[in-house]
Amino acid sequence: MSKRVQILLFILPGLLLVGLFVYGFTAWTLQVSFTNWRDVGSAGDFVGLDNYIRLFSTDRVFKASLVNTLKLTLVFIGVTIPLGLFLAVLLDLNLKGRQIFRLIFLLPLSFSFVASASMWTWMFSPQIGSINTLLRAIGLGSLAQPWITSDKQALFCIAIAYVWQFSGFSTLVYYAGISGVAPEISEAAKIDGASTLQRYMKVIIPMQRPATLTVLMILLMYSLRVFDLVWLMTGGGPGSSSEILSTFMFRTAFNRNRFGYGASVGIVMFVISILIVIPFFTRLRRSEYE
Amino acid sequence: MKRGVVLLVVLCFLLTGATALSSSPNELVVYHWWTAGGEKEAIDVLFEVFIDEHPEYSIVQNPVAGGGGGILRAQIKTMIMAGNPPDTFQITYGHGMISSFVSVLQPIDDLIEGYNIPEDVYEWGRVDGVMYGVPLNLMQNNCLWYNVDLVEELGIEMPIKSIDEFLGICARVKAEGYIPLAVGAGMGQQFWLGTLFEAVNSALPGGGADFFNDYYAGKTIPSESEVFAETLKVLRTLLVNGFINDDYSALTWDQGSDLMATGKAVFYVMGDWAKGHFTSMNMVPKVDFGYQPFPGTDDVFIGHADCFVLPIGVDRKIAKDWIQFLTTVKAANTFCPIKGAAPFVLDAPLDVYDDITKEILGYFRDDGVVKVLSQFGAPPESYLDVFGTAFSEFFNTPEINDNTLGNFDYAYAEVFLF
């Protein structure tokens, strides 16, 4: 048996499983999205692009979900990356208590989303939540907010919870990147008279492009398919103010029995992910070869 | 060659996959959503009694948390589509809800023959003249619960007879620093706002059965209904005057009821399963908490039931025995008293029920009281989610204008036309 056949035999199970459960079911979802399947027991009829036309022409909640998803992504990534970098720099500075802070920064990563959602829901509760209780206790009751019960703040609250959960991951990747900078480079900058701030700003941080790309890629891929915290904290409410594409898809398919229509939402999510992720992959590969 | 054989063996093992784990003939796989106080104890005892009658059987119960069963139904659908339905599962009883599942359910007329329940109840659940679910417990939705201590402290005379009187009392309660009406409709449970809508609507002229029979059948466009707008006006009054706790969208139904139970709120509108929750907190009916039909609705009974169904493809004696067991007086009188519900079975002795349940049953059996099937049974399943969102939007911005009514029309079309 040739080596090639042996290798193929070993990777065949994985290939088959990925082929079936990833590509097979994606293709099946695409097929379902062209039908009007709207009942648990029957597969529906072919309706061409009707689902997509309805999505982009008359469906108000879909448009709101799309905008909310993009908003959540922007806030989530826009805060998590700089925050992770800042915390990684702090860890690298050899400050007192660095070990304990490293543990504190990474702790949220170990939380399950259900536990996080319960905790943040309780913290954001306007009446009994710890945030408003604290504000009232220190005489700043006028700053107490409705948080997750407000259509203007619910999405922002969810973003905070996601940032909290993922900032540890971002910190970890940047810390590894910063630790990987050769000490000679940093020393050379020091000899040339660079201050600590200048060393980080001009030498170490500019070298973190691969780490940034990695964090950006992973957070982007995750943010486009977030579901758990949104579903558990607000259920997409109040109204549709924190509805995002994944909760809208779930709701449409499993609470409203519009399986064909729900599949079309899933395909839209898939296409958006592909459009965003592929250029990044291409860029990443190119930077590896450079 | 030898290496090739080893490789092939490894490959076979890898490709074997998980074998389908079918339950044994004597294991009943049940899915239900009774996880809150009162209801969990009730279903556990019911299972025990079933096993006492059938010692050869055992129960594999899969409780899926989430009031109203939305999460459970989603899970069941995936199991059914995967060709792996459980032996039996719980859904709310009513022709609309059952219609949403009817293509995957078995008729059970022959199994429940002789089930001694009112003909009205059979009619609630029949789809094209066929029974698919066995109703277990009667529930009234238009209940007003109140904290007895607070009512006495504030000198409120019970029962409250009309919606106007109720609104006046709410203003008094608010002035005394208490929450007049507790509501919990958050964390994906926006559909409870529909329960409040039903109660208020039934208290208004032209509301109740006159409205809901057509409305839940897809024949009443919200913006064209005067009583629909009037209902919104009352709800708006409750909201803009601060008669409802402002964190309602951050609380589940039981957390909402806790506001009343712990003396922060005076009133609470919820189905009679709330009673089971209160008693599980060691509260005594008519001593710690009281009940009346929502003010102005003592001639209307908005109700539904929980039922168990048999999915197509399940042809096991144990599942059929379970369905038949649920038609017995023993099953009703084991489950209902603990859950806080009333039995359907006409010959069930009522000595095991508390006074409030007897009162509820009295309303149900009174020919002068009009029965209305609630949002959990009458409209298609999607109503709960679509209108939960629509009501949530209204509660968030309680303005009554063309835009608001347009939103409700859009939701209505989504349920009945799309």
Side-chain angles (χ1 to χ4, degrees), chain B residues 81-155:
Chain B
M81 284 188 240
N84 184 30
D87 292 324
T88 182
F89 63 91
Q90 175 196 2
I91 53 174
T92 46
Y93 179 76
H95 47 79
M97 177 61 78
I98 291 171
S99 291
S100 303
F101 286 85
V102 74
S103 56
V104 293
L105 300 180
Q106 294 183 47
I108 55 165
D109 294 82
D110 54 335
L111 291 175
I112 62 169
E113 207 174 332
Y115 188 19
N116 188 17
I117 57 175
E119 182 55 27
D120 287 1
V121 180
Y122 277 112
E123 274 312 304
W124 271 6
R126 279 190 185 122
V127 176
D128 298 328
V130 178
M131 288 291 284
Y132 292 92
V134 54
L136 175 61
N137 53 310
L138 168 66
M139 290 177 282
Q140 184 181 12
N141 290 240
N142 54 317
C143 305
L144 181 76
W145 305 98
Y146 56 90
N147 183 303
V148 170
D149 287 345
L150 287 181
V151 159
E152 285 172 1
E153 181 191 321
L154 299 169

Side-chain angles (χ1 to χ4, degrees), chain B residues 201 204-215 220 227 300 370 372:
Chain B
N201 176 284
L204 299 172
D210 293 342
F211 172 76
F212 285 115
N213 288 342
D214 281 347
Y215 173 72
T220 304
V227 70
V300 185
V370 183
V372 178

Side-chain angles (χ1 to χ4, degrees), chain B residues 140-143 161-163 194-213 215-216 227-228 230-232 234-235 269 293-303 369-375:
Chain B
Q140 184 181 12
N141 290 240
N142 54 317
C143 305
K161 294 181 181 63
S162 71
I163 190 91
T195 296
L196 185 56
F197 174 85
E198 283 177 336
V200 170
N201 176 284
S202 302
L204 299 172
D210 293 342
F211 172 76
F212 285 115
N213 288 342
Y215 173 72
Y216 283 149
V227 70
F228 188 93
E230 287 302 315
T231 311
L232 294 187
V234 174
L235 293 172
V269 173
F294 186 78
T297 68
D298 54 6
D299 56 347
V300 185
F301 188 102
I302 300 172
V369 174
V370 183
K371 281 70 176 177
V372 178
L373 185 55
S374 83
Q375 61 166 354

Side-chain angles (χ1 to χ4, degrees), chain A residues 1 6 9-10 37-39 41 54 58-60 126-127 149 151 239-240 251 254-259, chain B residues 3-4 7 11 14 77-78 81 103 246-247 249 381-382 385-386 389 392-393 396 407 410 414 418:
Chain A
M1 188 185 286
Q6 284 180 34
L9 279 176
F10 271 108
W37 182 10
R38 44 175 301 170
D39 178 35
R54 183 184 158 92
T58 59
D59 196 317
R60 308 171 192 191
Q127 294 297 335
T149 64
D151 60 338
S240 303
R251 215 182 268 290
F254 292 105
N255 289 354
R256 303 179 181 182
N257 296 332
R258 306 283 189 265
F259 297 105
Chain B
R3 218 166 24 163
L7 278 174
L11 186 64
L14 284 168
K77 284 167 199 170
T78 58
M81 284 188 240
S103 56
D246 56 13
D247 61 347
S249 62
E381 183 196 3
S382 59
D385 188 66
V386 175
T389 302
S392 168
E393 272 169 22
N396 199 54
N407 278 345
Y410 179 84
E414 178 109 342
F418 172 38

Side-chain angles (χ1 to χ4, degrees), chain B residues 6 18 30 40 48 55 103 115 136 139 153 163 171 184 194 233 261 265 273 279-280 313 355 387 390 413 418:
Chain B
V6 172
V30 187
K40 186 191 179 300
E48 279 172 29
S103 56
Y115 188 19
L136 175 61
M139 290 177 282
E153 181 191 321
I163 190 91
K233 278 181 193 167
W273 48 92
T279 52
S280 76
D355 289 345
F387 267 80
F418 172 38

Side-chain angles (χ1 to χ4, degrees), chain A residues 230-279:
Chain A
V230 180
W231 190 257
L232 293 162
M233 283 173 71
T234 65
S240 303
S241 61
S242 61
E243 193 83 271
I244 54 171
L245 287 173
S246 57
T247 57
F248 178 61
M249 177 181 71
F250 179 84
R251 215 182 268 290
T252 303
F254 292 105
N255 289 354
R256 303 179 181 182
N257 296 332
R258 306 283 189 265
F259 297 105
Y261 198 57
S264 66
V265 181
I267 293 298
V268 169
M269 286 173 68
F270 177 74
V271 169
I272 292 172
S273 304
I274 291 292
L275 288 176
I276 290 173
V277 167
I278 284 198

Side-chain angles (χ1 to χ4, degrees), chain B residues 179-393:
Chain B
I179 298 163
L181 179 63
V183 175
M187 297 168 82
Q189 296 187 6
Q190 290 93 329
F191 52 81
W192 295 123
L193 301 175
T195 296
L196 185 56
F197 174 85
E198 283 177 336
V200 170
N201 176 284
S202 302
L204 299 172
D210 293 342
F211 172 76
F212 285 115
N213 288 342
D214 281 347
Y215 173 72
Y216 283 149
K219 296 174 187 169
T220 304
I221 306 296
S223 65
E224 294 171 5
S225 164
E226 211 173 300
V227 70
F228 188 93
E230 287 302 315
T231 311
L232 294 187
K233 278 181 193 167
V234 174
L235 293 172
R236 184 177 184 280
T237 303
L238 290 167
L239 288 158
V240 298
N241 290 299
F243 294 165
I244 289 174
N245 50 299
D246 56 13
D247 61 347
Y248 68 88
S249 62
L251 305 176
T252 56
W253 77 267
D254 41 334
Q255 290 169 331
S257 74
D258 290 346
L259 291 175
M260 189 218 87
T262 55
K264 293 185 179 76
V266 179
F267 300 110
Y268 180 57
V269 173
M270 184 50 67
D272 56 13
W273 48 92
K275 179 159 59 72
H277 180 62
F278 295 143
T279 52
S280 76
M281 297 165 76
N282 297 320
M283 293 177 78
V284 181
K286 296 210 169 182
V287 174
D288 299 312
F289 69 96
Y291 150 88
Q292 69 159 89
F294 186 78
T297 68
D298 54 6
D299 56 347
V300 185
F301 188 102
I302 300 172
H304 71 278
D306 289 308
C307 71
F308 279 90
V309 293
L310 273 187
I312 282 173
V314 174
D315 186 25
R316 287 154 38 84
K317 184 176 180 301
I318 188 171
K320 292 172 180 176
D321 285 347
W322 168 252
I323 295 291
Q324 284 179 320
F325 167 72
L326 296 179
T327 65
T328 62
V329 169
K330 194 171 189 179
N333 274 14
T334 297
F335 178 81
C336 295
I338 304 172
K339 186 178 183 289
F344 279 116
V345 191
L346 290 166
D347 50 345
L350 300 183
D351 53 314
V352 289
Y353 294 95
D354 60 61
D355 289 345
I356 290 178
T357 298
K358 287 175 187 167
E359 208 175 324
I360 287 171
L361 202 53
Y363 281 113
F364 184 73
R365 292 181 178 177
D366 183 343
D367 290 339
V369 174
V370 183
K371 281 70 176 177
V372 178
L373 185 55
S374 83
Q375 61 166 354
F376 294 102
E381 183 196 3
S382 59
Y383 178 89
L384 291 172
D385 188 66
V386 175
F387 267 80
T389 302
F391 285 131
S392 168
E393 272 169 22

